[in-house]
Amino acid sequence: MSGLPANRRILLLHNDPIEIERLTIGLNRSGFSVIAADAGRLAMHELVHDPPCLVLAAEGTNGRSADTLARELRTDPFLGRLPLIILVRDIRVNDLDWATLGIDDYIAVPYRPEEVPQRVRLCLSRLERSLDANPLTRLPGNSTILHETTARIESGAPFALAYLDIDNFKSFNDRYGYARGDEVLVVTCRILTTVVSELAGTDGFVGHVGGDDFVFMSVPTTIEVICQTLIKRFDLVIPDFYDPEDRAKGFIDSVDRRGNHERFPIMSLSIAVVTNEHRTISHPGDVSKIASELKKLAKSQPGSVYVKDNRKTETEDPASDSHAA
């Protein structure tokens, strides 16, 4: 992942023509285009039509302090949505309350010419990661998952990718509410990241597709022990999230998606494992297709199960590859 958006237009708010030229030259050399203006003369219709990806504003623009400049930009309906970097004199750095200023970064003046594009890149990269991350678990989201999957496919090295789904999670949410459901997702995240870190090390990756769907990756040689350990730890702690009477019964009475009353067992895991050990995988879409088949098989079985695809062709039956830890 490049860490940079396709749009590389920077809105530069500054009063000093010499500094505007200096900053523009440096940013242009790094592949950015610059729209220079001051806060009082913004052609908003042009900006809305072709919006910038970041605002770089110098303290003193139109006589405004960093506090005032940041406050006015943040309350602007359009500019307030963009990441903001403030240029501030080094002697002023300790005078500002950075916790309440509401900016994304600052650059102390005087600065080195190469520092500005570097800080802009870092700010945009940080923003992209933040937007992609799941707000509850802070795990990487779909864009990062796709990038990581593509990178492993293109490397040509052996890899294993697993989709994890929590069975009966919706009925648990319906019974106990979303707050307790979120606790289950957070605990699942902690179990998953801990196990993958312990057993896969730097070869591991964990992402959160959304809801109760997670993804993790490792080399093929460790994927099964990861699945087994995940299931053991999940099955050990998950009954504690149920009220004593439901835990004793081993199920909850709830309503399914069609409005019918039904008994739902204690939550369990269905894990679908895709690997390129025995067949060539050339596209992330191949991974999704195979995982979808395996996931259906895993969900058709009671309790926590992982299914690993060891087929060499699509016509083989994957049923023999299911395991309960």
Side-chain angles (χ1 to χ4, degrees):
M1 185 164 54
S2 66
L4 291 174
N7 175 6
R8 293 164 68 88
R9 282 161 57 87
I10 306 295
L11 173 59
L12 173 60
L13 302 179
H14 212 303
N15 281 342
D16 188 338
I18 296 176
E19 279 297 297
I20 290 175
E21 182 178 9
R22 181 186 181 202
L23 289 164
T24 299
I25 290 172
L27 288 165
N28 286 164
R29 285 175 178 167
S30 297
F32 295 98
S33 62
V34 176
I35 316 156
D38 63 51
R41 293 196 302 271
L42 287 177
M44 291 303 298
H45 63 284
E46 294 181 11
L47 294 179
V48 172
H49 177 70
D50 192 3
C53 63
L54 179 143
V55 178
L56 178 61
E59 183 175 38
T61 301
N62 280 6
R64 289 166 170 79
S65 66
D67 309 69
T68 303
L69 192 58
R71 184 172 61 253
E72 290 182 358
L73 288 170
R74 282 301 182 217
T75 55
D76 184 276
F78 174 72
L79 298 178
R81 297 183 291 108
L82 300 174
L84 171 62
I85 300 177
I86 293 284
L87 289 158
V88 59
R89 289 175 297 155
D90 54 4
I91 60 172
R92 285 269 293 144
V93 168
N94 293 327
D95 297 337
L96 298 171
D97 185 356
W98 299 105
T100 61
L101 203 55
I103 69 171
D104 298 283
D105 203 353
Y106 75 91
I107 299 171
V109 180
Y111 54 84
R112 292 175 289 108
E114 67 274 14
E115 183 180 3
V116 176
Q118 289 171 353
R119 298 291 279 274
V120 167
R121 285 195 195 97
L122 284 171
C123 184
L124 292 173
S125 179
R126 190 165 57 243
L127 175 68
E128 185 173 357
R129 291 194 302 272
S130 175
L131 290 174
D132 186 50
N134 183 277
L136 177 65
T137 62
R138 307 307 301 166
L139 288 174
N142 289 308
S143 296
T144 306
I145 293 169
L146 177 61
H147 168 78
E148 185 68 24
T149 305
T150 303
R152 298 200 181 210
I153 291 172
E154 292 179 349
S155 74
F159 75 90
L161 182 151
Y163 282 86
L164 179 151
D165 180 81
I166 305 176
D167 302 320
N168 303 312
F169 179 75
K170 181 185 181 301
S171 59
F172 179 89
N173 257 351
D174 293 342
R175 165 78 168 174
Y176 294 113
Y178 289 102
R180 205 186 296 193
D182 284 349
E183 292 177 13
V184 170
L185 296 178
V186 169
V187 167
T188 302
C189 166
R190 289 175 183 166
I191 294 172
L192 184 52
T193 53
T194 301
V195 171
V196 172
S197 177
E198 288 175 354
L199 299 177
T202 56
D203 290 321
F205 171 85
V206 178
H208 192 169
V209 178
D212 61 320
D213 294 315
F214 296 83
V215 165
F216 58 96
M217 305 181 202
S218 76
V219 294
T221 51
T222 59
I223 197 70
E224 292 202 55
V225 68
I226 290 173
C227 292
Q228 293 162 4
T229 307
L230 281 172
I231 287 173
K232 287 178 182 176
R233 294 189 186 179
F234 182 89
D235 287 351
L236 180 66
V237 303
I238 211 65
D240 292 337
F241 286 92
Y242 289 79
D243 289 347
E245 59 272 20
D246 290 336
R247 187 163 61 244
K249 291 186 299 185
F251 62 84
I252 58 176
D253 291 305
S254 187
V255 178
D256 65 17
R257 287 176 170 84
R258 295 178 297 276
N260 302 316
H261 287 276
E262 190 174 344
R263 289 180 173 180
F264 292 92
I266 300 295
M267 287 179 287
S268 57
L269 297 180
S270 289
I271 305 174
V273 180
V274 181
T275 172
N276 63 349
E277 285 178 291
H278 305 293
R279 66 159 101 179
T280 300
I281 295 177
S282 57
H283 190 274
D286 299 336
V287 177
S288 298
K289 180 181 178 183
I290 297 168
S292 179
E293 299 170 356
L294 300 175
K295 195 171 174 182
K296 289 179 183 176
L297 177 60
K299 281 188 161 296
S300 69
Q301 303 176 58
S304 292
V305 172
Y306 73 92
V307 179
K308 182 183 178 188
D309 185 35
N310 289 320
R311 297 172 294 174
K312 296 180 177 63
T313 68
E314 294 185 8
T315 58
E316 292 183 54
D317 185 0
S320 62
D321 296 327
S322 61
H323 308 269

